[in-house]
Each structure stands twice: as C-alpha cells, then as structure tokens.
C-alpha cells in the first residue's frame, strides 16, 4: 500500500548502481564516510538559533540537534492527505522535524546567558514566546507522545503543562492567549484507543469517477488512496481543542474534529477554527477537503460560521488561479475580534476577464452584521500588514507578469485603497523592503511607526556590490522613503528588533566575510555595536577558502554572474587550472533587465552544511556556485518555449568565463544540481558537450509525469505539448554521452519529483548504453537529513567526480 512508509529494517540493497563495464551490476553497500575533513565538519556542533522576546528584553537561544541518525528516520511514518506524521507521538515525521536540544535566556541588557534545566536527553520543537515575553512554550518529545512545556524567563525553570497527548499532526498545535495566562492546545481526544486495523484484505476495488467534471490536479505527494488511509487520517488528525491555563485545570472547547487550525482572537474571547470533513479526496491534500471555518466562544459554542467550503479539486491550472469562496481567513491584528478574508471575483480563474480579481472583507464580532468590503484588488491578494485603526498595507500579486501592487487602506472607512507603489517583485535592486512588525499587547504583529508617523521599513538592500540591509522610514502618503541606517561596507547586518521608541537602538544579526553571524545591540549614535553572542566558526577548516563574484555576458547580451570559490591555499600561477564543478538552479523571468541583476556576496559568511556541493572545496575542486541560468520570456512569449536554447547559452557563457580566467580547464568541468537543478543538469548533458559529467540529485526528468504544470510553467501538457516534450531530458536520453550520477531519496515528498522520475530516467539511460550510476537513499525525502545519508551522498559525489573529472583522461 503506498499510503505509508512504516518503520522497518533498512533495505538490503541500500543503493542501486549501474556500473560501466561489460555487465550491469547491483551493489550491496553499507553507508560510506566522506573523505576528511568533511566528516568532521558534518559532526561539528551546530550554531544555536535565536529569537527576541516581544518585550525586547530577552533573547531565547536554542541549541540544535546535529544530523539525525538513520535509525531516527526509520521510526514508523504515515503519509496521509499531504502530511507525513509519526504515529508514535502524533506529530510530524522525524524527516520533517529539526529537533532542538537546549534553551538559554540571554538578557539584551547584557550579562551571561542562563541555561534552562530540561530533562536529560530532551528534544523539543515549536518554541513560541508568550505575548508578555515572560515565558516560552514548547512541545517536548516523550516516549508516547508530545507534551506541552513552559519555560519561565525570570526563574529559568521549565515545567510540563500537559501529558503526552498534544496533537501536532497538522502543525501549529498551540496558541497563546493574549494575556499570556493560558494556551489553546489541540489534544488527542481522551480515550481515543488504538489506531484502526488496516491490514485486512480489501472488501472491493477502489473506484473514482469524474462524470465529465473538469478537475485538474498538480502532482501532489502523500495523498489518501483507500478506505484504510481515510480511517488512519481521521484517527490521527482528530483533535480536541483544550484550554490549558498556566495555573488551574484544563477544560475542553467543543467537540473533537479534524482540526487543521485554531487561533485565539486579539481580545481573547473567540477562537477561529478550521476543520475538514468528509467526503475526503484521493487527488488533493487535506487543505482542499470540504472545510468548515467557524468562530467559537471560550465555552466551545459556535457563534459564527464563516464558510462551509466544498471539496476544491477543480482549481484551474494557471498559478494565479484560486478556489471560489472565502480564503486566507484570519484575525485582524489591530482590532479586538475582527475577521478578514479574501474572495475571488473572477470565479478564481485568471483566464476570465475581470476588472476586480479579489475583494477583501472585514467582519467584526458579534458577527451579526454582514461582511464589509475593505478593498477591491486588480490582482490576487497576497497579504496584509496591519498598523492601527486607520492604516493598513494590502499586497496583491499577479504571477503571470511578476507584478506586485501595495495599497494603503483605511479600515475605519472601508472602500478603495490608494496605490502606494507598484513593482516587479523579482526586481532585487529596487526592493523597498517591508514594514517592521512587532507584537502588540495581544501578541499579534502590527506595523512599527517612527515618532513622526512614518512607517519603519527593513529590506535586503541588494546592489551590484552586495546586499546591505537597511532600516528606513516611509511616508505612506507620498511613498517617499528615508534611510535611517544601512549595513556598513563589508558587513552584512540585518535588523532583528528595535529596542527604543526612537528606533535608535537595535538588535542586529551581523556577519562579515570572515566573521560568523552573531547578535549585537547597535546604537545608531555610536560607532561600534555591543556583542550579545560569540558563536564560533562552525567549520574553521574552510576559513582559507577564497571567493569572488564573476560577471560575464550571454551571447544574446543578458548579463550573468556566479560566485567562484577556490580551495584554501590555491595559487593560479603556481597551481594552474583546477577541476571545477558548476552547481546551478534555473529561474524564470519576464524582464531581461531584472534577470541580469548581479549581487555580490563578498560580505557574507559562508560555510557549507548538509550535503552541500561546497564541501568539494576540501577535495581540490573549484566551485562556480549559482551561475545565472535565467529563462526569459520576451514580448509576451512564455519563457519555457526557448528553455533549451537559453539554458545552453547561459552554460556556455559560464564555462567560457572560468576558462578565460585560467582557474578551470575546459576538459575538466562538471555540472550539478538538486531538484530543478538536477533537471537542468540532465538537459545540459543531453544537449551540449560542455561538461565531462553531471551530478543530478532528486530531479524530475519526464514532464509528461507532471502534466498540469511544473516549476513556473503554468500551461498544461495538452496546451504546450511540444514544450513539455522538448524540455524533458527523458526524451533525449539517447543523447546523454557523458557519465551521470543520479541520486534520489526513496521517500521524496516534493511535488513532481517522485522517485519514479529517477527510476525511469535511469532505465532509459541504461537502455541506451549510457554510463550512469543510480543511488537510492532509503527513508530520505526531497532533502537529505540522516547523517549516514548525507555522508554517503558526499562520498558518492567525491568518488564520482574524482573518477570522471579530476583524474579523467583527456577527451
């Protein structure tokens, strides 16, 4: 049954490989370790992460677990309705959890951090500050489930609030009350009992029927597939809303349901609840099942029904398409209990002509008056930032043109919004940033204003010379923006929080080319910031690596760039050209000028982690990282109609650039990528002879298997048959005449990159006599998590590149 990957002994094969030679063979390998110093770097202690409290007085520092052992990924896992869960603890599967192992509180005013005493061997997830900044709630893993704990800042003590019955299957298992006195928690219902037995023989066939109804569906993963799946989904996702005070007895709210979300209103008197119901679907994930969105009071009684949505399995294929009816329902941050949501006015289909695409609605408690239109949008609603009673910023976007509009609206007098700015949202150089938000007294994010009424903005500050984050003040009347502070030349320093009313004291995160990221208190009226943390370099073995921005031009005039990394101690005059790996990921654009924007990374601290290709620097390779591979649609044409042509031109320009610099030998260059980068790699081997070999990880190679769109392609296979065919390297498997290494996670969870993509591409290559090695990583998803899997992936890559690039004979 394909619904789940249950815990089991690891497969005996562990990897499959097609080897060059007179016969095809299957290897039975154990996991291999990468060469030094890669293994030591992988096993180094990860740098903690940090979070600033709402009262801006304390940093929470979270210790992170290292790469988990494969045995951890081998715990039982269920794949249900687009989710992957661990039935042992009713939470997300281990492959989807970045466990935290320690917690410390660091005063912003200075002084040492105080470690919170947690149980031996503790691991937890989902930490969240209380609105008053005095405590952190978290989910602690226990042998039989997840427990809710709270850590107190003042005492440094942590205590358990619930037994191991928290239901985190759908994520977001708890929500703080605005007064910080309690939490709303989704719990496993009392006396739930054992999971349904789904091992019995089926009682009949599985039948689906469309009756002529148009219902296109993208290639979703982990869907329900039979009655047994439905029973398991209902068992594990049914939860009981429970009010859990910090002091006193817990009480239930309403009846159990298959909750996908629940949140308390800013006034603490209502709960917005989202629950799904039957009939379930085998073609879309749970978020598109029939859905009830309701408001409950704190006794669990339904006081308002926002929407009763049907099954939404018929959303049109263009990316600007949405389902009819209310969507993105949420509480308004700056009001006691007001709902806000969007509804399509064009039937949800962007192919319909319409002056108004979306309308935003408001409805305030007690919900006896009907919804009030807030603003009409000519594009799709993409979010809102609340300010105060008379100011909000509403965002809309249109994917087909990459256009964004920001409107200023006055919630106190609903009506038309005023356009503040319009832009191509892929334009990095002219990004005005977004408003600084801070939690209000209820813990909801609202805009932070300067003393003169202007809104404070932060942004990445992309320039040709690099990204230099900034703090600015924007007049929402004129749109004029004034820079209050910009990261210094050579630094990459971004705003984490603002400490005073005048916005002169900031908490920042600062790094340089040679200094690892750390947290600081910066006074804008002083020269140097004061350090709050002193995290060390996690991989000092790579401190001597050099890097530089390389710029060059494609044959059609599009400016391109990439970051060239060279091994520590390398001298071009002494050592000559190196074997080089290009690691890339194509991107689609509608504007050639935006596609050609160049941003240096000289002020960033770079250290590899996981299965990064940058580890190859320790083995004597040069790496051209992220060389531009823009696919541009000109004059109304779709970008992908000339995908192969543009991809070849970009790759040829990159190869010429590094060869002309003298750092690479044209005869010793490899290409590689992950996901869409793997798709790119296979196409470059099929259509060019620029590279000696390729490394393609977790890719998709046959676009007929993703017929209702992929990546940025909105058209269906039947609307663009030639494009789908020509973009598929599977079509040209007989032209791949360079060795290729395929790696894929056995349990890939990414839309479109089913493992069958690599399986069938391998079969096509093998059938045409290619030199191909196919590695399957047991239990791994789209990204690789287990220490054994990561180490083995890097071993495979180094071994393959040494054979086919570094030590390969001349062609």
């Amino acid at each position: 049954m394909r619904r789940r990957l249950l815990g089991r002994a690891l497969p005996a094969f562990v990897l499959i490989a097609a080897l060059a030679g007179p016969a095809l063979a299957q290897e039975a390998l154990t996991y291999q370790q990468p060469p030094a110093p890669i293994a030591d770097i992988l096993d180094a202690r990860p740098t903690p992460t940090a979070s600033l409290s709402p009262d801006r007085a304390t940093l929470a520092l979270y210790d992170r677990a290292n790469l988990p052992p494969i045995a951890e990924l081998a715990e039982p896992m269920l794949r249900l309705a687009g989710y992957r869960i661990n039935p042992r603890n009713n939470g997300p599967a281990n492959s989807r959890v970045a466990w935290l192992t320690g917690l410390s509180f660091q005063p912003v005013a200075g002084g040492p951090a105080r470690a919170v005493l947690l149980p031996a061997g503790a691991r937890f997830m989902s930490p969240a500050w209380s609105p008053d900044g005095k405590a952190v709630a978290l989910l602690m893993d226990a042998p039989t489930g997840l427990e809710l704990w709270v850590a107190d800042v003042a005492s440094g003590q942590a205590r358990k609030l619930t037994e191991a019955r928290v239901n985190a299957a759908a994520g977001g298992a708890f929500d703080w009350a605005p007064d910080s006195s309690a939490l709303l928690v989704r719990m496993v219902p009392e006396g739930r009992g054992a999971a349904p037995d789904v091992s019995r023989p089926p009682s009949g066939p599985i039948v689906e029927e469309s009756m002529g109804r148009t219902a296109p569906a993208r290639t979703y993963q982990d869907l329900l597939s039979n009655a047994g799946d439905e029973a398991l989904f209902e068992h594990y996702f049914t939860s009981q809303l429970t009010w859990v005070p910090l002091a006193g007895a817990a009480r239930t709210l309403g009846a159990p349901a298959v909750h996908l979300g629940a949140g308390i209103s800013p006034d603490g008197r209502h709960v917005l609840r989202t629950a799904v119901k039957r009939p379930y679907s085998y073609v879309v994930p749970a978020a598109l099942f029939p859905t009830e969105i309701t408001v409950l009071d704190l006794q669990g009684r339904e006081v308002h029904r926002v929407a009763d949505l049907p099954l939404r399995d018929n959303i049109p294929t263009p990316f600007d398409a949405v389902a009819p009816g209310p969507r993105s329902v949420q509480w308004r941050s700056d009001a006691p209990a007001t709902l806000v949501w969007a509804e399509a006015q064009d039937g949800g289909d962007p192919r319909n002509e319409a002056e108004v695409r979306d309308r935003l609605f408001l409805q305030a408690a007690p919900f006896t008056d009907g919804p009030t239109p807030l603003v009409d949008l000519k594009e799709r609603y993409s979010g809102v930032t609340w300010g105060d009673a008379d100011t909000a910023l509403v965002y809309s976007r249109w994917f087909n043109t990459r256009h964004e509009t920001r409107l200023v609206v006055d919630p106190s007098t609903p009506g038309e919004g005023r356009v503040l700015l319009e832009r191509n949202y892929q334009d990095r150089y002219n990004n005005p940033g977004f408003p600084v938000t801070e939690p209000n007294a209820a813990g909801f994010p609202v805009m932070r204003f300067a003393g003169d009424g202007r809104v404070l903005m932060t942004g990445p500050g992309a320039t040709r010379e690099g990204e230099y984050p900034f703090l600015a003040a924007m007049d929402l009347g004129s749109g004029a923006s004034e820079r209050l502070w910009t990261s210094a030349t050579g630094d990459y320093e971004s705003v984490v929080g603002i400490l005073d009313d005048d916005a002169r004291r900031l908490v920042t995160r600062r790094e340089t080319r040679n200094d690892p990221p750390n947290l600081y208190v910066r006074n804008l009226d002083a020269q140097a910031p004061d350090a709050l943390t002193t995290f060390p370099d996690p991989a000092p073995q790579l401190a001597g690596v050099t890097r530089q921005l390389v710029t060059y031009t494609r044959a059609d005039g599009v400016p391109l760039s990439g970051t060239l990394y060279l091994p520590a101690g390398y001298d071009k005059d002494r050592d000559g050209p190196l074997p080089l790996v290009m690691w890339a990921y194509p991107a689609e654009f509608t504007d050639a000028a935006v596609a050609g924007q160049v941003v240096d990374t000289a002020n960033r601290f770079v250290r590899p982690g996981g299965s990064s290709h940058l580890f190859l620097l320790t083995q004597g390779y040069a790496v051209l990282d992220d060389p531009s591979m823009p696919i541009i649609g000109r004059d109304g044409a779709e970008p992908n109609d000339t995908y192969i042509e543009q991809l070849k031109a970009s790759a040829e320009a990159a190869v010429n650039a590094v060869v002309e610099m003298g750092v690479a030998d044209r005869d010793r260059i490899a290409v590689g990528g992950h996901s869409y980068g793997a798709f790119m790699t296979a196409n470059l081997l099929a259509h060019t002879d620029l590279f000696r070999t390729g490394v393609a990880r977790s890719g998709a190679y046959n676009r007929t298997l993703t017929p209702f769109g992929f990546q940025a392609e909105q058209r269906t296979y039947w609307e663009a048959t030639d494009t789908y065919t020509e973009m598929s390297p599977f079509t040209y498997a007989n032209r791949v005449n360079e060795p290729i290494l395929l790696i894929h996670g056995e349990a890939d969870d990414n839309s479109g990159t089913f493992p069958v993509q690599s399986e069938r591409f391998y079969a096509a290559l093998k059938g045409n006599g290619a030199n191909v090695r196919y590695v399957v990583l047991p239990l791994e998803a789209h990204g690789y998590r287990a220490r054994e899997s990561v180490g083995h992936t890097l071993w495979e890559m180094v071994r393959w590149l040494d054979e086919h690039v570094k030590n390969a004979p001349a062609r």
Side-chain angles (χ1 to χ4, degrees):
M1 303 175 78
R2 70 177 175 88
R3 68 171 174 268
R4 59 193 185 277
L5 180 68
L6 293 177
R8 47 176 168 72
L10 295 179
F13 59 87
V14 180
L15 329 150
I16 313 174
L19 303 178
L24 298 172
Q26 179 171 298
E27 291 181 283
L29 291 181
T30 56
Y31 290 107
Q32 301 295 303
Q33 284 283 354
I38 299 175
D40 291 338
I41 298 173
L42 291 178
D43 294 330
R45 181 181 178 185
T47 301
T49 59
S51 172
L52 182 65
S53 63
D55 63 1
R56 302 172 287 187
T58 310
L59 283 170
L61 304 178
Y62 303 109
D63 294 326
R64 299 183 292 143
N66 215 326
L67 295 171
I70 193 69
E72 192 171 295
L73 267 63
E75 274 202 82
M77 177 176 71
L78 299 178
R79 309 188 207 186
L80 300 168
Y83 292 91
R84 293 187 173 187
I85 69 165
N86 185 339
R88 174 187 61 79
N89 63 15
N90 220 115
N94 284 333
S95 61
R96 296 191 170 183
V97 179
W99 291 108
L100 303 172
T101 58
L103 168 61
S104 299
F105 291 126
Q106 167 71 58
V108 171
R114 182 172 62 251
V116 175
L117 183 63
L118 298 174
R123 64 178 193 175
F124 61 92
M125 63 179 181
S126 306
W129 280 104
S130 61
D132 63 9
K134 295 181 179 179
V136 169
L138 51 90
L139 295 181
M140 184 75 70
D141 191 34
T144 60
L146 294 170
E147 303 166 341
L148 178 66
W149 284 59
V150 170
D152 180 69
V153 172
S155 67
Q157 301 297 309
R159 61 190 177 95
K160 183 172 69 173
L161 282 187
T162 73
E163 297 303 316
R165 286 182 38 236
V166 177
N167 189 328
F174 63 85
D175 188 34
W176 276 100
D179 65 359
S180 302
S181 68
L183 299 101
L184 178 68
V185 188
R186 301 207 295 269
M187 302 286 290
V188 170
E190 191 76 46
R192 178 176 69 176
D197 180 6
V198 296
S199 63
R200 294 185 294 259
S203 59
I206 299 167
V207 177
E208 298 182 62
E209 188 173 12
S210 70
M211 301 292 290
R213 178 171 170 266
T214 301
R218 292 177 67 84
T219 48
Y220 297 111
Q221 298 268 37
D222 304 329
L223 301 178
L224 302 180
S225 61
N226 53 46
D229 283 356
E230 294 189 50
L232 288 170
F233 173 72
E234 209 153 65
H235 176 83
Y236 285 104
F237 283 76
T238 297
S239 62
Q240 172 67 64
L241 298 182
T242 306
W243 190 262
V244 180
L246 297 186
R251 55 185 174 83
T252 60
L253 273 68
V258 183
H259 294 111
L260 298 187
I264 308 172
S265 60
D267 65 1
R269 300 174 58 189
H270 304 84
V271 173
L272 178 61
R273 164 187 172 273
T274 301
V276 298
K277 59 184 179 180
R278 291 179 179 271
Y280 303 141
S281 171
Y282 296 177
V283 297
V284 293
L288 297 174
F289 288 178
T291 303
E292 293 180 345
I293 305 175
T294 56
V295 176
L296 310 179
D297 64 17
L298 293 192
Q299 284 68 50
R301 297 173 298 214
E302 181 179 317
V303 297
H304 179 57
R305 180 159 293 238
V306 184
D308 196 343
L309 302 172
L311 173 67
R312 285 143 289 153
D313 63 350
N314 60 341
I315 299 174
T317 53
F319 292 175
D320 290 311
V322 295
R327 69 180 199 279
S328 302
V329 184
Q330 58 186 267
W331 292 115
R332 179 178 158 184
S333 295
D334 62 332
T338 297
L339 296 170
V340 58
W341 69 88
E343 288 191 42
Q345 303 300 299
D346 58 2
D349 191 340
R351 295 170 296 193
N352 295 333
E353 293 293 329
E355 181 66 23
V356 175
R357 293 292 181 180
D358 272 354
R359 180 169 291 150
L360 208 58
F361 291 92
L362 296 174
Q363 190 173 22
F367 314 110
T368 51
D369 295 333
T372 300
L374 175 61
V375 66
D376 286 346
L377 305 173
K378 296 181 179 180
E379 302 161 322
R380 287 285 177 243
Y381 168 72
S382 63
V384 59
T385 305
W386 301 101
D388 50 31
D390 59 6
T391 307
L393 275 179
V394 176
Y395 311 91
S396 66
R397 286 187 170 189
W398 199 247
F399 175 84
N400 201 42
T401 57
R402 313 305 197 266
H403 185 263
E404 176 188 63
T405 304
R406 302 186 187 183
L407 300 100
V408 179
V409 300
D410 183 351
S412 65
T413 56
E416 293 187 8
R418 176 173 49 81
V419 174
L420 177 67
L421 62 88
E422 299 181 77
R423 60 186 297 266
N424 181 323
Y425 60 75
Q426 290 182 308
D427 182 354
R428 300 174 67 185
Y429 287 175
N430 297 295
N431 185 350
F434 285 89
V436 175
T437 61
E438 293 183 343
N440 59 16
F444 283 72
V446 293
M447 279 188 268
R448 174 70 189 270
F449 292 93
D452 57 8
R454 294 182 296 176
V455 65
L456 296 175
M457 307 280 288
T458 57
T463 68
R464 165 62 178 76
E465 292 72 30
E467 284 192 336
Y468 290 94
F470 62 83
L471 176 69
M474 177 179 281
D475 186 325
L476 295 183
S478 65
S481 184
E482 177 194 359
R483 291 283 180 96
L484 304 179
W485 169 82
T486 302
S487 180
T489 301
D491 293 359
Y492 182 89
E493 188 172 3
S494 56
V495 177
V496 175
I498 298 173
L499 298 178
D500 65 337
D501 293 339
D502 296 327
R504 305 302 295 172
R505 295 183 65 246
L506 316 174
V507 174
T508 64
R509 180 184 182 274
R510 176 182 175 271
E511 63 185 76
T512 71
R513 186 187 193 99
N514 300 312
D515 301 315
N518 271 288
L519 295 161
Y520 295 80
V521 173
R522 174 172 286 283
N523 188 328
L524 300 189
D525 300 316
Q527 285 291 102
D530 297 319
L532 284 173
T533 61
T534 55
F535 302 137
D537 184 343
Q541 301 93 328
L542 291 165
V545 166
T546 62
R547 73 179 185 271
Q548 66 181 98
L549 181 72
V550 178
T551 59
Y552 46 97
T553 304
R554 202 164 75 177
D556 60 0
V558 176
L560 305 176
S561 67
T563 302
L564 177 65
Y565 290 84
L566 298 170
Y570 170 72
D571 183 293
K572 183 175 67 173
D573 296 332
R574 181 191 66 209
D575 302 325
L578 292 170
L580 181 140
V581 176
M582 274 177 37
W583 196 269
Y585 193 97
E588 297 82 357
F589 297 87
T590 58
D591 185 334
V594 171
Q597 288 182 344
V598 174
V599 178
D600 202 345
T601 59
N603 60 337
R604 301 303 304 269
F605 182 84
V606 177
R607 293 292 184 268
S611 53
S612 171
H613 52 284
L614 293 181
F615 279 115
L616 295 167
L617 291 161
T618 69
Q619 306 303 306
Y621 290 87
V623 177
L624 184 62
D625 188 38
D626 197 25
S628 306
M629 296 285 174
I631 311 299
I632 305 165
R634 292 188 174 94
D635 302 322
E638 289 292 333
N640 284 337
D641 287 346
T642 52
Y643 174 87
I644 298 298
E645 172 190 329
Q646 296 190 63
L647 187 69
K648 291 165 57 178
S650 295
E652 185 173 8
V655 168
N656 289 339
V658 292
V659 170
E660 290 167 6
M661 290 178 65
V663 298
D665 175 352
R666 192 178 296 275
D667 203 37
R668 294 195 300 162
I669 300 178
V671 65
H674 191 94
S675 193
Y676 207 53
F679 173 73
M680 170 209 71
T681 296
N683 267 313
L684 286 173
L685 295 187
H687 295 286
T688 77
D689 291 313
L690 294 168
F691 306 101
R692 291 301 301 267
T693 188
V695 177
R697 303 190 330 203
S698 298
Y701 310 102
N702 184 347
R703 285 304 167 196
T704 68
L705 299 179
T706 56
F708 290 104
F710 60 90
Q711 202 69 8
E713 179 55 64
Q714 302 183 76
R715 298 167 296 177
T716 70
Y717 169 77
W718 299 274
E719 293 170 329
T721 305
D722 290 346
T723 297
Y724 273 67
T725 302
E726 291 166 7
M727 287 184 68
S728 297
F730 182 88
T731 305
Y732 303 98
N734 61 326
R735 298 187 187 178
V736 177
N737 54 10
E738 298 89 4
I740 182 170
L741 172 62
L742 301 176
I743 303 177
H744 215 119
E746 178 195 36
D748 194 319
D749 55 349
N750 183 56
S751 177
T753 55
F754 291 91
V756 71
Q757 289 273 4
S758 287
E759 177 187 331
R760 300 315 300 158
F761 190 45
Y762 165 71
L765 292 166
K766 179 181 67 172
N768 281 283
N771 184 356
V772 54
R773 181 175 176 88
Y774 174 33
V775 180
V776 179
L777 299 174
L779 306 174
E780 292 291 352
H782 191 60
Y784 316 145
R785 289 288 315 282
R787 171 63 177 81
E788 293 89 340
S789 302
V790 169
H792 190 93
T793 295
L794 294 168
W795 176 82
E796 289 280 358
M797 290 172 60
V798 171
R799 176 178 173 270
W800 185 261
L801 293 168
D802 282 355
E803 178 181 355
H804 296 290
V805 180
K806 182 188 288 186
N807 302 317
R811 284 193 283 196

